[in-house]
Amino acid sequence: MLASLWGFLYSRCLRFWLKWLVRLLTGKCELQRVLEARGRPAPTALRLERSLESSKSKVLRNAVHVDEADVEKCVSDIMKEKKIEQRNTGFKTKLHVCLLQISGYKKLYLNVESLRKVPYDSDNKEHEEQLIELWNLLMPHESLKARISKQWCDIGFQGDDPKTDFRGMGMLGLVNLVYFSKHYTEEARQILSRSNHPKLGYSYAIVGINLTEMAYSLLKSGALKPHLYNAVSGLPQLEHFHQFYCYLVYEFDKFWFEEEPESIMHFNQYREKFHEKIKGLLLDYDVILTLKSPAKP
């Protein structure tokens, strides 16, 4: 109750007077002070985002929703609104990059969500080709005898037809599996082999789809902002989301074998523990989560 009251008073009254006092003492507005900070990009972008969202100025509040094509004009409008000279190129450049990151994150989420909503369609030639590509990448020395086959269980699907396993994550689940197998082929095959361990084994493809859901939920909640703001100078792309997914697959396999679960029946418990570990890492605004052992080109 007291925390809520303090938050209300600060946002409605104290914050304005504190900003006014600091500007009087420093001669600089809050945006200038934020963008002058040194260090990783994420703390700066996150502070800027909060400042813009809480501003009383409509120009500043709308800046977090600006499209890529309008970022340059938005930067100019903000500088006019805050009476910052246009020749201040340092401020202008940093603001431009941060706005690209902020608006790009929102656009990335929409793109990921759009792909997630595409259901796997066995009548779609492109979908079928990607599924077969996954098999060929993971099982180069074994031919798939039929489209509907128990062989799919060899790479961790639940039944004879993988399409049923993509219902939750749609094509996003398949695209991620293919991306990891294509860009980190050696690692993917090693992890698939480890997933067949007689005691600590797990269903490779099903776990991969589950990790897609984890990556998606972290993106949706905004928890992925520190990583992406640090990793990408400008607009984050779908490629960067796929790369984060690859990190999760690689790290989850290590985590699973380090934890040595009694059986696959405890998967949800360890999945949640791993999820909490990743969320904890993302609380560090200096974080960048990438594969430590990328495949050689």
Side-chain angles (χ1 to χ4, degrees), residues 28 68 82 167 238 246:
K28 297 176 181 179
E68 177 187 0
K82 303 304 290 184
R167 283 176 293 193
L238 203 53
C246 294

Side-chain angles (χ1 to χ4, degrees), residues 130-140 142 144 149-160 162 165-166 174 177-178 181 188-189 191-193 195-196 202-209 245:
Q130 287 191 63
L131 183 59
I132 299 303
E133 182 181 16
L134 176 64
W135 174 269
N136 291 334
L137 286 165
L138 293 173
M139 305 290 281
E142 183 176 340
L144 188 65
S149 169
K150 292 188 181 298
Q151 286 179 283
W152 290 112
C153 296
D154 295 341
I155 61 173
F157 286 103
Q158 288 181 322
D160 297 354
D165 294 326
F166 295 118
L174 176 57
L177 283 169
V178 172
S181 300
R189 291 174 183 170
I191 291 173
L192 173 61
S193 177
S195 75
N196 290 318
Y202 57 86
S203 299
Y204 174 83
I206 295 299
V207 169
I209 295 170
Y245 165 80

Side-chain angles (χ1 to χ4, degrees), residues 15 36 54 75 91 107 171 186 276:
R15 186 173 184 275
E36 284 179 356
S54 61
V75 169
F91 177 89
K107 185 177 180 180
M171 281 300 293
E186 182 181 340
E276 291 300 318

Side-chain angles (χ1 to χ4, degrees), residues 40 184 214-215 218 223-232 239-251 274-293:
R40 292 277 199 185
Y184 300 93
M214 186 182 296
L218 290 168
L224 210 50
K225 287 180 180 180
H227 161 70
L228 286 175
Y229 288 169
N230 284 327
V232 187
E239 170 94 4
H240 301 111
F241 176 79
H242 295 323
Q243 284 286 341
F244 176 69
Y245 165 80
C246 294
Y247 168 85
L248 290 183
V249 175
Y250 190 80
E251 291 298 319
F274 179 70
H275 193 185
E276 291 300 318
K277 176 183 176 181
I278 298 300
K279 287 194 290 186
L281 293 175
L282 290 168
L283 291 176
D284 179 2
Y285 285 177
D286 289 333
V287 71
I288 297 181
L289 301 180
T290 56
L291 260 68
K292 295 179 180 178
S293 178

Side-chain angles (χ1 to χ4, degrees), residues 62-121:
N62 289 343
V64 297
H65 304 292
V66 67
D67 291 330
E68 177 187 0
D70 299 322
V71 166
E72 189 170 347
K73 181 180 182 303
C74 183
V75 169
S76 179
D77 291 343
I78 288 174
M79 294 179 76
K80 289 178 182 176
E81 178 81 4
K82 303 304 290 184
K83 297 180 174 58
I84 300 171
E85 294 183 0
Q86 293 290 329
R87 65 171 180 265
N88 188 337
T89 56
F91 177 89
K92 182 182 295 186
T93 300
K94 283 192 172 183
L95 180 58
H96 190 276
V97 170
C98 285
L99 289 182
L100 284 177
Q101 291 178 312
I102 293 167
S103 62
Y105 189 95
K106 298 177 189 300
K107 185 177 180 180
L108 174 61
Y109 167 69
L110 293 176
N111 289 338
V112 169
E113 175 70 355
S114 177
L115 187 55
R116 186 188 72 86
K117 287 182 176 179
V118 177
Y120 184 92
D121 182 0

